[in-house]
C-alpha cells in the first residue's frame, strides 16, 4: 500500500523531467534517476561538469581556511554522508560552533538551508557563512581574502577555473559558485529503500524493515508528517513542487526556565523571525543516510537512533539537572504531532531497521564526491 503511494508520486513527477542546460561542452548529468523531479535550476549559476570539478577541489582544499587547517570537508565528511562525528563543530581557529554539522544530502532540493532559517534559500548565500563568519570563525576568510586567494594561483587551479568560468582569475564570487555547484551535485537516491520503493526490487528490504516502514508512515508515530516526501523532509522543493509546508517545529527537546523555553545559546527560528511562537522551532532534516550521521539534533545532543526513538515515544525530553533542566514534554510550543506512543522491543528494532535502509553506500564511496587530493 505504501509502495503504491511512492509509485504514484514518482509517476506524477515524470512529466517534470526537463533537460538541464549548461554552458560546458558536455551537459551536466544529475545523479538522479530519470523518473525523479529535477532540482530548481539556478539561472545565475547553472550546473556544469567543470564547476563541479573545481568545486570538489575547493571543498577538500585546506588552503581555503585562514591557517590552512580546515576545509569544508573537515566538518562535512563523505564517510558520514558529509556530516561529522562531533556533537557541535569546531572552526579552523578552534572556536566552537553551537550547532551540529548537518549531512549534505540532496541539498539541491532543500527549500531552506541550515537548522533554523526561513529566509536562507540559496546555497550561494549559505556558503558565505562558513567562509566568512566571524562568530564563530569557521574557515576564517574575513580580512584574509587576498592571502587565501594567492594560494590558488597555481596552474592546476588556473586551468580548472578557465574551464569552469572562462577566466583564469579565481575570486570569491567564483569560489562560491563552484562550491555551491559541488554541494548541489551530492545526490543520494540509491539506498535499499529506493530500490524497494522506486526500482521495484522486492528483495531490497528485510521483513523487519518493511514492518518498520509501516510504523514510520503510521498515524500512530507521525514521523512522515515532518519527515515526508522522497527526501524525508518537508524542506523540499523541486520543479513540480505542489505542497509548500513550513518545515520548522518545536519537538520538545527542552523546556528551560527563564525568558524562553529553549537554551539561550540557540532558540531556533525565533532568532530570525522574532516571533515568540518560533522559539525552539528547528527544521525537520532529511533522514536519508541517518544511520551514518550521529550524533543527532541541531546541537548533537542525542547519541544514537535508539535514543531518538525513545525521545519521540516519550513525546519530548525531560532533563532533570544542570542549566538545561526542564521537562520538554511540557513545552507549551511543542508541535501537536509530538504526542508519544508505545513501541514494543521488536517494533523499535523494526523502526531502526527501516531508518537504516535509507543508507546509500554508493553515495559515501562515490569517487565523484571523494577527496581529489587522495587519488
Ligand atoms: C567548522 C565546521 C564547518 C565547516 C568548515 C563548514 N561547515 Fe557547513 N555547516 C556546519 C554547520 C555547523 C552547519 C549548520 C549551520 C546552522 O544550522 O546554522 C553547516 C551547514 C551547511 C550547509 C547547509 C545544509 C543544510 O542542510 O541546510 C551547507 C550547504 C554547508 N554547510 C556547506 C558547507 C561548505 C560548502 C563549506 C566550505 C566552504 C562548509 N559547509 C564548511 C559546519 C561547517
Ligand atoms: C513535528 C514534526 C516531527 C515529527 C512528527 C517527527 N520529527 Fe523527527 N525531527 C523533527 C525536527 C524539527 C527535528 C530537528 C529537531 C532539532 O534538532 O531541534 C527532527 C530530528 C530528527 C532526527 C535527527 C536528525 C538529525 O539529522 O540529527 C531523527 C533521526 C528523527 N527526527 C526521526 C524521527 C522519527 C523516527 C519520527 C517518528 C517517530 C520523527 N522524527 C517524527 C521533526 C519531527
Amino acid at each position: 500500500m505504501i509502495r503504491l503511494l511512492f509509485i504514484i508520486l514518482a509517476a506524477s513527477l515524470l512529466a517534470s523531467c526537463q533537460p538541464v542546460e549548461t554552458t560546458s561542452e558536455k551537459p551536466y548529468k544529475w545523479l538522479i534517476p530519470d523518473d525523479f523531479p529535477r532540482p530548481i535550476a539556478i539561472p545565475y549559476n547553472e550546473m556544469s561538469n567543470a564547476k563541479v570539478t573545481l568545486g570538489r577541489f575547493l571543498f577538500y582544499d585546506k588552503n581555503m581556511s585562514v591557517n590552512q587547517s580546515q576545509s569544508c570537508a573537515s566538518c562535512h565528511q563523505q564517510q558520514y554522508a558529509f556530516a561529522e562525528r562531533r556533537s557541535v563543530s569546531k572552526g579552523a581557529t578552534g572556536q566552537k560552533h553551537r550547532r551540529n554539522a548537518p549531512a549534505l544530502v540532496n541539498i539541491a532540493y532543500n527549500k531552506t538551508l541550515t537548522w533554523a532559517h526561513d529566509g536562507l534559500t540559496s546555497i550561494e548565500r549559505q556558503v558565505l557563512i562558513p567562509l566568512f563568519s566571524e562568530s564563530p570563525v569557521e574557515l576564517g576568510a574575513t580580512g584574509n581574502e587576498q592571502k587565501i586567494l594567492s594560494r590558488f594561483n597555481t596552474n592546476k587551479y588556473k586551468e580548472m577555473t578557465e574551464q569552469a568560468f572562462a577566466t583564469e582569475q579565481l575570486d570569491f564570487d567564483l569560489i562560491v559558485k563552484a562550491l555551491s555547484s559541488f554541494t548541489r551535485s551530492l545526490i543520494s537516491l540509491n539506498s535499499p529503500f529506493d530500490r524497494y520503493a522506486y526500482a521495484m526490487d522486492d528483495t531490497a528490504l528485510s521483513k523487519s524493515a518493511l514492518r518498520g516502514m509501516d510504523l514510520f508512515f503510521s498515524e500512530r508515530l507521525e514521523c512522515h508528517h515532518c519527515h515526508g516526501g522522497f527526501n524525508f523532509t518537508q524542506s523540499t522543493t523541486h520543479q513540480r513542487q505542489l505542497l509548500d509546508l513550513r518545515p520548522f517545529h518545536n519537538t520538545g527537546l527542552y523546556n528551560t526556565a527563564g525568558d524562553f523555553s529553549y537554551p539561550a545559546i540557540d532558540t531556533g527560528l525565533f532568532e530570525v523571525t522574532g516571533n515568540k511562537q518560533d522559539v525552539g522551532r528547528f527544521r525537520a532534516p532529511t533522514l536519508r543516510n541517518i544511520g551514518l550521521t550521529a550524533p543527532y539534533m541541531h546541537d548533537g545532543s542525542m547519541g544514537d537512533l535508539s535514543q531518538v526513538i525513545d525521545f519521540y515515544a516519550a513525546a519530548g525530553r525531560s532533563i532533570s539537572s544542570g542549566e538545561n533542566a526542564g521537562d520538554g514534554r511540557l513545552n507549551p510550543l511543542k508541535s501537536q504531532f509530538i504526542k508519544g506512543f508505545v513501541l514494543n522491543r521488536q517494533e523499535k528494532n523494526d523502526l531502526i531497521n527501516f531508518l537504516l535502509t535509507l543508507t546509500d553506500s554508493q553515495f559515501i564511496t562515490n569517487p565523484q564526491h571523494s577527496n581529489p587530493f587522495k587519488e
Side-chain angles (χ1 to χ4, degrees):
M1 179 56 201
I2 284 170
R3 178 149 77 179
L4 192 65
L5 285 176
F6 296 133
I7 295 164
I8 293 168
L9 174 77
S12 70
L13 299 169
L14 255 176
S16 68
C17 304
Q18 291 165 12
V20 177
E21 286 175 33
T22 62
T23 47
S24 71
E25 286 175 28
K26 218 165 101 204
Y28 178 75
K29 189 165 173 6
W30 288 97
L31 297 171
I32 300 174
D34 287 344
D35 46 2
F36 268 75
R38 295 291 178 266
I40 289 173
I42 309 297
Y44 54 87
N45 191 17
E46 285 178 22
M47 291 292 276
S48 77
N49 295 307
K51 283 187 209 172
V52 172
T53 301
L54 172 61
R56 176 174 163 228
F57 276 79
L58 295 170
F59 188 90
Y60 282 97
D61 199 330
K62 291 190 174 167
N63 284 315
M64 196 54 88
S65 61
V66 54
N67 53 9
Q68 292 163 294
S69 68
Q70 267 197 356
S71 66
C72 308
S74 305
C75 303
H76 297 291
Q77 302 172 18
Q78 186 181 18
Q79 58 182 319
Y80 305 127
F82 298 95
E84 66 172 333
R85 278 281 179 255
R86 286 178 198 274
S87 46
V88 292
S89 292
K90 220 183 208 178
T93 56
Q95 285 186 20
K96 247 180 152 179
H97 201 290
R98 60 183 177 158
R99 289 184 179 162
N100 175 260
L104 302 183
V105 171
N106 299 345
I107 297 293
Y109 288 110
N110 277 9
K111 193 162 61 182
T112 68
L113 294 147
T114 74
W115 280 101
H117 201 314
D118 60 354
L120 191 48
T121 55
S122 107
I123 301 179
E124 281 75 4
R125 271 182 57 214
Q126 194 282 326
V127 166
L128 297 172
I129 302 174
L131 285 172
F132 293 106
S133 94
E134 296 178 80
S135 169
V137 170
E138 293 183 59
L139 296 173
T142 297
N144 300 297
E145 290 86 351
Q146 288 315 315
K147 179 159 120 189
I148 290 175
L149 282 179
S150 68
R151 298 183 193 142
F152 294 98
N153 202 6
T154 64
N155 287 340
K156 174 82 185 158
Y157 271 108
K158 281 185 188 161
E159 195 184 304
M160 288 191 293
T161 308
E162 173 73 40
Q163 298 219 328
F165 297 108
T167 167
E168 280 191 348
Q169 195 63 48
L170 198 56
D171 60 25
F172 274 98
D173 177 45
L174 301 183
I175 286 175
V176 162
K177 285 185 168 145
L179 282 171
S180 303
S181 301
F182 174 70
T183 308
R184 274 194 189 96
S185 77
L186 303 175
I187 296 287
S188 172
L189 291 169
N190 203 2
S191 64
F193 165 78
D194 294 302
R195 289 200 284 284
Y196 172 82
Y198 302 115
M200 309 298 289
D201 176 356
D202 279 333
T203 63
L205 299 195
S206 68
K207 287 211 166 67
S208 168
L210 285 170
R211 287 193 302 265
M213 182 168 79
D214 284 342
L215 286 168
F216 185 89
F217 288 98
S218 69
E219 298 300 321
R220 191 173 137 213
L221 267 64
E222 303 284 13
C223 312
H224 64 293
H225 273 290
C226 306
H227 301 283
F230 70 84
N231 211 21
F232 293 86
T233 164
Q234 291 170 329
S235 183
T236 298
T237 188
H238 52 72
Q239 293 183 356
R240 283 282 308 270
Q241 185 69 27
L242 299 174
L243 294 172
D244 188 17
L245 300 165
R246 202 160 182 260
F248 304 98
H249 309 275
N250 180 319
T251 55
L253 277 179
Y254 295 101
N255 195 11
T256 54
D259 288 350
F260 301 106
S261 58
Y262 261 56
I265 187 173
D266 203 345
T267 52
L269 189 61
F270 167 70
E271 287 177 9
V272 178
T273 65
N275 178 349
K276 286 198 175 161
Q277 293 300 313
D278 289 337
V279 170
R281 281 199 175 147
F282 289 84
R283 186 186 67 182
T286 180
L287 298 184
R288 286 185 171 275
N289 296 296
I290 196 70
L292 301 170
T293 64
Y296 300 111
M297 305 303 175
H298 67 273
D299 54 1
S301 59
M302 286 192 193
D304 58 34
L305 289 173
S306 169
Q307 228 179 317
V308 173
I309 292 171
D310 290 346
F311 150 76
Y312 281 114
R317 177 170 64 183
S318 176
I319 299 173
S320 53
S321 59
E323 55 177 354
N324 295 333
D327 192 346
R329 294 171 298 183
L330 305 176
N331 190 308
L333 299 171
K334 193 180 77 170
S335 160
Q336 56 172 343
F337 288 115
I338 309 292
K339 54 191 171 64
F341 47 81
V342 178
L343 291 184
N344 66 33
R345 187 187 293 208
Q346 188 204 314
E347 287 174 319
K348 183 174 166 188
N349 247 338
D350 291 343
L351 181 58
I352 292 180
N353 283 337
F354 169 65
L355 292 173
L356 296 179
T357 70
L358 302 176
T359 299
D360 178 348
S361 53
Q362 251 184 34
F363 178 63
I364 57 165
T365 52
N366 187 340
Q368 286 171 263
H369 306 328
S370 70
N371 186 344
F373 300 104
K374 285 201 175 148
E375 274 177 348

